[in-house]
Amino acid sequence: MMRLRSLAAIGLFTLLLHGTSFAAAVSGGGDEWERTVKAAEQEGQVTVYKLGIDADFNAFQKRYPKIKLNLVAGSGSQNLQRIMAERRAQKYLVDVVRLGGGTAMTLLTAKALDPITPALIMPEVKDTSKWFEGKHQYNDGESRYIFVYAAFPLRMVAYNSKLVDPKSLTSFWDLLDPKWKGKVSAKDPNDPGGGSPLLFLHYNSQLGPEYLKKLITVGGLTLVRDERQQTDWIASGKVPIAITAKATEVDEAKKQGLPVDVMDPHAMSKEGV
């Protein structure tokens, strides 16, 4: 969460992103919830910088038509640059930001985030026993700023469906086969959003730093900063396999008839998912 003008609309968004039903919220939150809704409607708008799809935000707008929703879409790098430029100008234009872990940590280091705990209102949200592993999950050491509200298997590997037999890839070690040398790309971990997927490989007990070194040296891993370039290279066959490819872009390219697809995460599950 960014440093805020007010917490009212943030409280509504926090509820929405946690997946709590609105009916349960109104009945469970009592006066505090009603005051939050009224205050948010008086503010009149909320600005969100975001990655991903708009479905949950559209649901918010439908449920609360009196609150104007300003959605600003962009990549992790674009949103990071936008926010830091605003900070340098001492402007506070964004209320909520949905970003990848790497970008969020950069903002935390820059002291651009406020704790999210004060925005949690509903008892069913505050009750940690109702959450995975009986606690709220955060992506920062203090467990205060970067709230993790959902988890899903990461679709890390995309490929050219004419040049790559997905059945031949059952482990990340398969990417070190000499036939794939120089034919695998990954998003540069120095670029915002690029580091998070590679952390899975780095900290995996069956892969680790040595695997990454081999992938870069022996495997000739190609690093890119533009995820769209990854998708283009997969489709053209120039670099037919991509680690950390943006799955939604690959899905869209597939719908357009290009020979691309994304591996089922569980198909390469020898090292876990």
Side-chain angles (χ1 to χ4, degrees), residues 168 174 176-181 183:
S168 68
D174 292 335
L176 295 180
D177 189 310
K179 68 181 180 181
W180 301 127
K181 184 174 182 178
K183 298 181 179 180

Side-chain angles (χ1 to χ4, degrees), residues 24-231:
V26 174
S27 63
D31 293 340
E32 183 180 5
W33 178 254
E34 293 178 5
R35 287 196 301 269
T36 301
V37 172
K38 290 179 180 179
E41 290 177 344
Q42 288 176 356
E43 287 176 33
Q45 67 177 1
V46 60
T47 298
V48 180
Y49 293 174
K50 55 163 283 288
L51 294 170
I53 61 176
D54 294 343
D56 46 6
F57 296 111
N58 291 336
F60 173 92
Q61 186 68 93
K62 183 177 180 180
R63 178 63 179 83
Y64 298 100
K66 294 181 180 180
I67 304 171
K68 181 182 178 182
L69 178 59
N70 301 318
L71 285 182
V72 180
S75 67
S77 178
Q78 290 170 335
N79 282 326
L80 176 62
Q81 292 173 11
R82 180 181 292 118
I83 292 165
M84 294 310 297
E86 292 171 1
R87 289 298 176 274
R88 288 190 292 270
Q90 296 186 342
K91 295 181 179 180
Y92 299 88
L93 306 181
V94 58
D95 296 302
V96 177
V97 61
R98 175 196 276 168
L99 296 170
T103 310
M105 286 303 297
T106 302
L107 290 171
L108 180 61
T109 302
K111 298 183 178 181
L113 303 181
D114 272 347
I116 198 170
T117 305
L120 304 182
I121 297 174
M122 308 311 301
E124 57 267 44
V125 173
K126 292 181 177 181
D127 184 356
T128 56
S129 70
K130 299 182 183 300
W131 290 82
F132 178 64
E133 294 184 340
K135 62 181 181 180
H136 289 156
Q137 304 288 335
Y138 289 84
N139 196 38
D140 62 275
E142 295 184 39
S143 296
R144 298 177 65 203
Y145 298 94
I146 306 172
F147 197 92
V148 182
Y149 63 88
F152 52 88
L154 188 61
R155 301 165 68 206
M156 283 185 64
V157 180
Y159 62 95
N160 182 299
S161 54
K162 289 185 177 180
L163 301 177
V164 180
D165 178 5
K167 294 181 180 179
S168 68
L169 300 176
T170 61
S171 164
F172 282 95
W173 288 101
D174 292 335
L175 299 178
L176 295 180
D177 189 310
K179 68 181 180 181
W180 301 127
K181 184 174 182 178
K183 298 181 179 180
V184 180
S185 72
K187 196 167 189 288
D188 190 333
N190 291 312
D191 198 43
S196 298
L198 293 182
L199 290 176
F200 168 72
L201 305 180
H202 184 276
Y203 287 108
N204 193 303
S205 61
Q206 299 182 59
L207 298 167
E210 289 303 314
Y211 169 79
L212 284 175
K213 287 181 182 179
K214 289 181 179 179
L215 189 63
I216 294 169
T217 56
V218 179
L221 183 69
T222 300
L223 297 179
V224 300
R225 285 183 172 265
D226 189 342
E227 292 163 325
R228 290 173 296 182
Q229 186 179 54
Q230 271 193 301
T231 304

Side-chain angles (χ1 to χ4, degrees), residues 226-256:
D226 189 342
E227 292 163 325
R228 290 173 296 182
Q229 186 179 54
Q230 271 193 301
T231 304
D232 291 343
W233 282 358
I234 300 168
S236 68
K238 180 178 180 179
V239 184
I241 300 176
I243 302 175
T244 72
K246 195 168 184 178
T248 52
E249 289 191 2
V250 178
D251 290 339
E252 185 61 31
K254 181 181 178 181
K255 290 179 181 178
Q256 295 174 9

